[in-house]
Amino acid sequence: MSGRVVLITGAAGALGRAVAERFASEGDRLALLDQVPMNLEAAYQGQCDLGNSAETEAHAARIVSQLGRIDILLNIAGGFEMGEPVHATSEKTWRFMFEVNLWTLVRMLEAVVPIMREQGEGRIVNMGARAALRGSALMGAYAASKSAVIRLTESLSDELKESGVQVNCILPSVIDTPRNRSDMPDADFSRWVQPQRIAEVMAFLVSDGGADIHGASIPVESLS
Protein backbone atom coordinates (compact mmCIF):
# COMPACT_ATOMS: atom_id res chain seq x y z
CA MET A 1 0.00 0.00 0.00
CA SER A 2 2.99 2.30 0.23
CA GLY A 3 3.39 5.25 -2.07
CA ARG A 4 -0.27 6.22 -2.26
CA VAL A 5 -1.11 9.92 -2.43
CA VAL A 6 -3.42 10.73 0.49
CA LEU A 7 -5.18 14.10 0.58
CA ILE A 8 -6.33 15.10 4.07
CA THR A 9 -8.46 18.16 4.77
CA GLY A 10 -8.53 19.68 8.25
CA ALA A 11 -5.01 18.34 8.67
CA ALA A 12 -3.91 20.90 11.26
CA GLY A 13 -6.42 19.76 13.88
CA ALA A 14 -5.92 17.06 16.50
CA LEU A 15 -7.74 14.43 14.44
CA GLY A 16 -6.12 15.51 11.18
CA ARG A 17 -2.66 15.20 12.69
CA ALA A 18 -3.41 11.73 14.07
CA VAL A 19 -4.67 10.60 10.68
CA ALA A 20 -1.65 12.09 8.92
CA GLU A 21 0.71 10.27 11.27
CA ARG A 22 -1.13 6.97 10.71
CA PHE A 23 -0.91 7.16 6.93
CA ALA A 24 2.67 8.43 6.98
CA SER A 25 3.56 5.27 8.90
CA GLU A 26 2.42 3.28 5.83
CA GLY A 27 4.86 5.15 3.62
CA ASP A 28 2.10 7.12 1.92
CA ARG A 29 2.75 10.54 0.41
CA LEU A 30 0.67 13.12 2.23
CA ALA A 31 -1.07 16.14 0.74
CA LEU A 32 -2.37 18.25 3.62
CA LEU A 33 -4.85 21.12 3.49
CA ASP A 34 -6.18 23.38 6.22
CA GLN A 35 -7.21 26.98 6.71
CA VAL A 36 -4.37 27.55 9.17
CA PRO A 37 -0.59 27.04 8.79
CA MET A 38 0.77 23.56 9.55
CA ASN A 39 4.10 22.33 10.79
CA LEU A 40 3.84 18.78 9.49
CA GLU A 41 6.09 16.78 7.22
CA ALA A 42 4.28 16.22 3.94
CA ALA A 43 4.85 15.90 0.23
CA TYR A 44 2.43 18.80 -0.24
CA GLN A 45 0.73 21.14 2.19
CA GLY A 46 -1.09 24.38 1.81
CA GLN A 47 -3.48 26.81 3.41
CA CYS A 48 -6.80 26.44 1.66
CA ASP A 49 -10.18 28.07 2.14
CA LEU A 50 -12.41 25.08 1.45
CA GLY A 51 -15.28 27.50 1.11
CA ASN A 52 -13.74 28.78 -2.11
CA SER A 53 -14.30 26.51 -5.11
CA ALA A 54 -11.56 28.07 -7.25
CA GLU A 55 -9.00 27.82 -4.44
CA THR A 56 -9.93 24.21 -3.69
CA GLU A 57 -9.69 23.19 -7.34
CA ALA A 58 -6.35 24.96 -7.69
CA HIS A 59 -4.86 23.01 -4.78
CA ALA A 60 -6.17 19.72 -6.16
CA ALA A 61 -4.64 20.49 -9.55
CA ARG A 62 -1.29 21.37 -7.98
CA ILE A 63 -1.28 18.14 -5.98
CA VAL A 64 -1.78 16.12 -9.15
CA SER A 65 0.86 18.17 -10.97
CA GLN A 66 3.43 17.60 -8.20
CA LEU A 67 2.53 14.10 -6.99
CA GLY A 68 0.94 12.58 -10.08
CA ARG A 69 -2.44 11.54 -8.71
CA ILE A 70 -4.80 11.50 -5.71
CA ASP A 71 -5.48 7.98 -4.47
CA ILE A 72 -7.28 8.70 -1.20
CA LEU A 73 -9.33 11.68 -0.02
CA LEU A 74 -10.01 11.94 3.73
CA ASN A 75 -12.50 14.75 4.37
CA ILE A 76 -11.87 15.61 8.01
CA ALA A 77 -12.48 19.38 7.92
CA GLY A 78 -15.61 20.37 9.83
CA GLY A 79 -16.84 21.94 13.01
CA PHE A 80 -19.30 21.90 15.88
CA GLU A 81 -21.28 24.59 17.63
CA MET A 82 -23.91 24.02 20.29
CA GLY A 83 -26.98 25.85 19.08
CA GLU A 84 -30.27 27.19 20.32
CA PRO A 85 -33.63 25.36 20.25
CA VAL A 86 -34.58 24.60 16.65
CA HIS A 87 -37.29 27.25 16.51
CA ALA A 88 -34.86 29.86 17.81
CA THR A 89 -31.71 28.85 15.91
CA SER A 90 -30.25 31.86 14.16
CA GLU A 91 -29.69 31.96 10.43
CA LYS A 92 -26.01 32.55 11.19
CA THR A 93 -25.80 29.23 13.06
CA TRP A 94 -27.65 27.33 10.32
CA ARG A 95 -25.38 28.78 7.64
CA PHE A 96 -22.20 28.13 9.63
CA MET A 97 -23.00 24.48 10.37
CA PHE A 98 -23.90 23.67 6.78
CA GLU A 99 -20.99 25.64 5.37
CA VAL A 100 -18.33 24.05 7.55
CA ASN A 101 -19.70 20.48 7.53
CA LEU A 102 -21.38 20.11 4.14
CA TRP A 103 -20.39 22.76 1.61
CA THR A 104 -16.67 22.49 2.31
CA LEU A 105 -17.06 18.77 1.64
CA VAL A 106 -19.03 19.34 -1.56
CA ARG A 107 -16.38 21.71 -2.92
CA MET A 108 -13.61 19.22 -2.17
CA LEU A 109 -15.56 16.51 -3.97
CA GLU A 110 -16.08 18.81 -6.95
CA ALA A 111 -12.32 19.17 -7.20
CA VAL A 112 -11.22 15.58 -6.58
CA VAL A 113 -13.93 13.27 -7.96
CA PRO A 114 -13.18 14.13 -11.62
CA ILE A 115 -9.51 13.31 -10.96
CA MET A 116 -10.38 9.93 -9.47
CA ARG A 117 -12.82 9.12 -12.26
CA GLU A 118 -10.12 9.82 -14.82
CA GLN A 119 -7.71 7.59 -12.87
CA GLY A 120 -10.33 4.83 -12.77
CA GLU A 121 -9.92 4.37 -9.02
CA GLY A 122 -9.87 6.15 -5.69
CA ARG A 123 -11.01 5.98 -2.08
CA ILE A 124 -12.99 8.64 -0.21
CA VAL A 125 -13.85 8.75 3.49
CA ASN A 126 -16.12 11.53 4.75
CA MET A 127 -16.55 12.71 8.33
CA GLY A 128 -20.05 12.27 9.65
CA ALA A 129 -20.98 12.07 13.34
CA ARG A 130 -22.92 9.78 15.64
CA ALA A 131 -25.14 12.79 16.33
CA ALA A 132 -26.37 12.53 12.74
CA LEU A 133 -28.31 9.36 13.57
CA ARG A 134 -30.74 11.04 15.94
CA GLY A 135 -31.40 14.66 16.68
CA SER A 136 -30.69 15.97 20.18
CA ALA A 137 -31.75 19.09 22.04
CA LEU A 138 -29.79 22.22 21.10
CA MET A 139 -27.97 20.34 18.32
CA GLY A 140 -30.48 20.60 15.50
CA ALA A 141 -28.29 22.50 13.03
CA TYR A 142 -25.25 20.33 13.69
CA ALA A 143 -27.20 17.07 13.46
CA ALA A 144 -28.89 18.20 10.25
CA SER A 145 -25.59 19.15 8.60
CA LYS A 146 -23.99 15.81 9.52
CA SER A 147 -27.09 13.89 8.43
CA ALA A 148 -26.68 15.49 5.03
CA VAL A 149 -23.14 14.10 4.91
CA ILE A 150 -24.52 10.56 5.32
CA ARG A 151 -27.04 10.95 2.48
CA LEU A 152 -24.41 12.59 0.27
CA THR A 153 -22.03 9.69 0.94
CA GLU A 154 -24.66 7.12 -0.04
CA SER A 155 -25.60 8.98 -3.23
CA LEU A 156 -21.98 9.54 -4.23
CA SER A 157 -21.15 5.90 -3.61
CA ASP A 158 -23.95 4.73 -5.90
CA GLU A 159 -22.78 7.14 -8.58
CA LEU A 160 -19.08 6.22 -8.42
CA LYS A 161 -18.60 2.57 -7.44
CA GLU A 162 -18.88 1.38 -11.05
CA SER A 163 -16.05 3.83 -11.84
CA GLY A 164 -13.72 2.20 -9.33
CA VAL A 165 -14.15 4.93 -6.71
CA GLN A 166 -15.15 3.83 -3.20
CA VAL A 167 -16.99 6.22 -0.86
CA ASN A 168 -17.82 5.74 2.83
CA CYS A 169 -18.18 7.86 5.94
CA ILE A 170 -17.50 7.39 9.64
CA LEU A 171 -19.68 8.43 12.56
CA PRO A 172 -17.53 9.13 15.63
CA SER A 173 -18.91 9.96 19.02
CA VAL A 174 -17.23 12.79 20.95
CA ILE A 175 -13.54 12.87 20.00
CA ASP A 176 -10.92 13.37 22.69
CA THR A 177 -9.29 16.62 21.54
CA PRO A 178 -7.94 19.63 23.46
CA ARG A 179 -10.77 21.78 22.07
CA ASN A 180 -13.48 19.37 23.24
CA ARG A 181 -11.88 19.08 26.68
CA SER A 182 -11.86 22.86 26.94
CA ASP A 183 -15.49 23.13 25.82
CA MET A 184 -16.72 20.30 28.10
CA PRO A 185 -14.41 20.33 31.15
CA ASP A 186 -16.81 18.33 33.36
CA ALA A 187 -17.22 15.40 30.96
CA ASP A 188 -15.77 11.92 31.45
CA PHE A 189 -12.92 12.04 28.93
CA SER A 190 -12.31 8.29 29.27
CA ARG A 191 -15.55 7.66 27.36
CA TRP A 192 -14.48 9.72 24.38
CA VAL A 193 -12.98 8.15 21.28
CA GLN A 194 -9.26 8.68 20.68
CA PRO A 195 -8.20 10.30 17.37
CA GLN A 196 -5.83 7.39 16.73
CA ARG A 197 -8.78 4.95 16.80
CA ILE A 198 -10.55 6.95 14.12
CA ALA A 199 -7.36 6.96 12.06
CA GLU A 200 -7.27 3.15 12.28
CA VAL A 201 -10.83 2.85 10.98
CA MET A 202 -10.04 5.17 8.08
CA ALA A 203 -6.93 3.14 7.28
CA PHE A 204 -9.00 -0.05 7.18
CA LEU A 205 -11.70 1.42 4.93
CA VAL A 206 -9.14 2.37 2.28
CA SER A 207 -7.17 -0.88 2.60
CA ASP A 208 -7.62 -4.02 0.55
CA GLY A 209 -9.62 -5.45 3.45
CA GLY A 210 -12.19 -2.68 3.13
CA ALA A 211 -12.43 -2.73 -0.64
CA ASP A 212 -15.96 -4.18 -0.74
CA ILE A 213 -17.49 -1.63 1.63
CA HIS A 214 -19.48 1.00 -0.27
CA GLY A 215 -21.74 3.79 0.93
CA ALA A 216 -21.44 2.73 4.58
CA SER A 217 -21.70 4.87 7.69
CA ILE A 218 -19.38 3.32 10.26
CA PRO A 219 -19.90 4.17 13.98
CA VAL A 220 -16.70 4.77 15.96
CA GLU A 221 -17.11 5.17 19.71
CA SER A 222 -15.31 4.17 22.87
CA LEU A 223 -16.67 1.28 24.97
CA SER A 224 -14.81 2.30 28.12
Side-chain angles (χ1 to χ4, degrees):
M1 296 195 301
S2 64
R4 302 171 302 184
V5 176
V6 182
L7 171 53
I8 303 173
T9 71
L15 177 57
R17 287 174 176 268
V19 171
E21 290 172 1
R22 175 62 178 81
F23 280 83
S25 73
E26 295 280 356
D28 294 319
R29 293 178 291 165
L30 304 183
L32 308 179
L33 297 181
D34 205 301
Q35 288 187 325
V36 300
M38 293 166 282
N39 184 23
L40 297 168
E41 186 174 345
Y44 178 98
Q45 61 180 285
Q47 286 182 254
C48 179
D49 177 7
L50 297 178
N52 185 309
S53 294
E55 190 172 330
T56 303
E57 291 177 5
H59 276 286
R62 283 197 290 270
I63 291 167
V64 173
S65 175
Q66 294 182 27
L67 305 181
R69 56 191 295 113
I70 298 173
D71 297 296
I72 297 168
L73 170 61
L74 306 176
N75 285 307
I76 294 174
F80 171 79
E81 185 175 280
M82 186 67 77
E84 305 83 9
V86 170
H87 73 279
T89 299
S90 66
E91 182 175 342
K92 179 181 178 181
T93 297
W94 284 111
R95 289 184 178 277
F96 174 71
M97 283 289 91
F98 274 83
E99 177 63 33
V100 75
N101 289 322
L102 182 64
W103 288 111
T104 56
L105 169 61
V106 169
R107 293 185 184 102
M108 200 73 244
L109 294 172
E110 289 173 344
V112 174
V113 167
I115 293 169
M116 289 184 169
R117 285 177 60 92
E118 185 174 350
Q119 292 170 175
E121 60 182 355
R123 305 287 181 91
I124 299 171
V125 181
N126 298 324
M127 180 62 65
R130 187 182 65 176
L133 297 176
R134 185 185 185 282
S136 299
L138 307 182
M139 293 177 60
Y142 176 73
S145 68
K146 287 297 191 178
S147 294
V149 172
I150 295 177
R151 300 286 87 85
L152 181 150
T153 296
E154 294 165 348
S155 296
L156 192 65
S157 175
D158 280 354
E159 294 165 359
L160 295 179
K161 59 187 175 183
E162 298 299 329
S163 301
V165 180
Q166 176 204 50
V167 188
N168 292 294
C169 74
I170 63 171
L171 308 177
S173 58
V174 181
I175 304 170
D176 189 1
T177 66
R179 171 65 185 272
N180 283 339
R181 288 193 177 210
S182 175
D183 289 346
M184 295 174 275
D186 297 327
D188 181 357
F189 305 146
S190 69
R191 300 188 65 83
W192 291 359
V193 66
Q194 296 298 311
Q196 292 79 9
R197 297 292 190 182
I198 296 174
E200 290 294 335
V201 175
M202 287 185 160
F204 172 74
L205 285 173
V206 301
S207 71
D208 290 343
D212 294 329
I213 303 174
H214 297 275
S217 299
I218 310 294
V220 185
E221 53 188 289
S222 174
L223 296 178
S224 61

